[in-house]
């Protein structure tokens, strides 16, 4: 497994990360506990050391699951990236985001206990709390870094100005934000700022929640509680056009001798050594396919063909429902 340093000040991470959200919460359909744990083990055995979670994934379920999966593993052999601040209700509803300094310390205390560890490698607010200056939130995490409970500070889904303000308080290791062939809003302003400041990017949604994986078919549905059941890009009238883009990409993938998912992930990797794709595999089979992306070599001609198949801005529909768009660092 290739490795890369997350920004100038961040840790050395594998060139591919594992996102654990889909293993809890039913956000993308049913997840089998044993298969989830087997997927974590397979990722570690393959050399993936970056594992991303959130304290609100399944209201703590995800952290407890990872604690079980990581038991007995050398703590220095993996990096835990933890998002915090998402407020949930007992009915799974969302209640906004809390970035108050007192809340930051509280969230971390619970995460350390659930994860069964004495430190988090990268700690990041899940979204910007509009009622709390980002300087206050980052300052609180910086105190936890000083105390040894946190190794590095990250950000998630914020705009370029917020990145600058946060970095002025404490060096930021990476920004976690959605980036894929059909979600390229980071390229205009955010990515240049990250590179100017020496901040890495961990890209989630590289397969757009399965939409551009090559496995989603016309007529496929999403169960109640599944994010895709209310995602504009999966809605009737949009999904058909979006899957047309996937079929154009499939032609490029077949010519390369790889799967659609592998080429889509490899495209993200090809945008810079400072970008680490985070894949949300829930089974060893899907993880194995994603791991194959590391071996995909895309030439300049390949990248041109991919751009022709999936032009910038070609996707139909927003990447989140309208009510959630204001929480994102970029709309595309």
């Amino acid at each position: 497994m290739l490795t890369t340093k997350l920004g100038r000040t961040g840790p050395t991470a594998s060139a591919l990360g594992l996102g654990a959200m889909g293993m809890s919460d039913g956000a993308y359909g049913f997840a089998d506990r044993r298969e989830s744990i087997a997927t974590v083990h397979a990722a570690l055995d393959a050399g993936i050391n970056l594992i991303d979670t959130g304290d609100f994934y399944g209201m703590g379920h995800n952290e407890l699951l990872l604690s079980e999966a990581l038991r007995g593993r050398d703590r220095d052999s993996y990096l835990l990236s933890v998002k915090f601040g998402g407020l949930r209700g007992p009915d799974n509803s969302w209640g906004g985001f809390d970035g108050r300094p007192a809340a930051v310390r509280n969230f971390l205390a619970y995460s350390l206990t659930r994860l069964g560890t004495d430190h988090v490698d990268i700690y990041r607010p899940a979204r910007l709390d509009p009622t709390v200056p980002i300087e206050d939130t980052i300052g609180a995490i910086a105190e936890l870094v000083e105390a040894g409970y946190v190794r590095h500070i990250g950000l998630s889904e914020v705009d370029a100005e917020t990145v600058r303000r946060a970095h002025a308080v404490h060096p930021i290791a990476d920004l976690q934000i959605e980036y894929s062939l059909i979600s390229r809003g980071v390229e205009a302003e955010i990515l240049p700022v990250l590179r100017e400041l020496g901040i890495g990017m961990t890209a989630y949604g590289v397969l757009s929640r399965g939409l551009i994986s090559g496995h989603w078919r016309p007529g496929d549905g999403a169960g109640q509680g599944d994010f895709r059941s209310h995602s504009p890009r999966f809605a009737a009238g949009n999904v058909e056009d979006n899957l047309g883009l996937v079929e154009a990409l499939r032609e490029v993938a077949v010519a390369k001798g790889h799967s659609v998912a592998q080429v889509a992930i490899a495209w993200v990797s090809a945008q810079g050594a400072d970008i680490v794709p985070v894949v949300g595999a829930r089974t060893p089979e899907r993880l194995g396919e994603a791991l194959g992306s590391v071996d995909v070599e895309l030439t300049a001609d390949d990248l041109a063909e991919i751009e022709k198949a999936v032009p910038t801005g070609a996707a139909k529909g927003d990447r989140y429902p309208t009510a959630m768009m204001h929480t994102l660092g970029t709309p595309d």
Side-chain angles (χ1 to χ4, degrees), residues 71-125:
R71 191 171 298 137
R73 298 276 179 163
D74 180 358
R75 182 61 183 87
D76 293 332
S77 68
Y78 58 87
L79 303 170
L80 284 172
S81 164
V82 180
K83 292 184 289 297
F84 70 87
L87 302 177
R88 306 293 298 273
D91 59 352
N92 287 344
S93 62
W94 286 94
F97 298 91
D98 192 345
R100 294 171 301 135
V104 173
R105 292 187 288 271
N106 179 77
F107 287 136
L108 180 65
Y110 280 79
S111 284
L112 293 176
T113 299
R114 285 190 292 257
L115 288 165
T117 184
D118 63 357
H119 72 278
V120 166
D121 298 284
I122 311 173
Y123 202 47
R124 69 182 83 242

Side-chain angles (χ1 to χ4, degrees), residues 264-288:
I265 297 169
W267 180 89
V268 174
S269 296
Q271 304 313 302
D274 53 351
I275 301 173
V276 175
V278 176
V279 297
R282 290 178 290 166
T283 66
E285 177 187 8
R286 287 288 184 256
L287 175 68

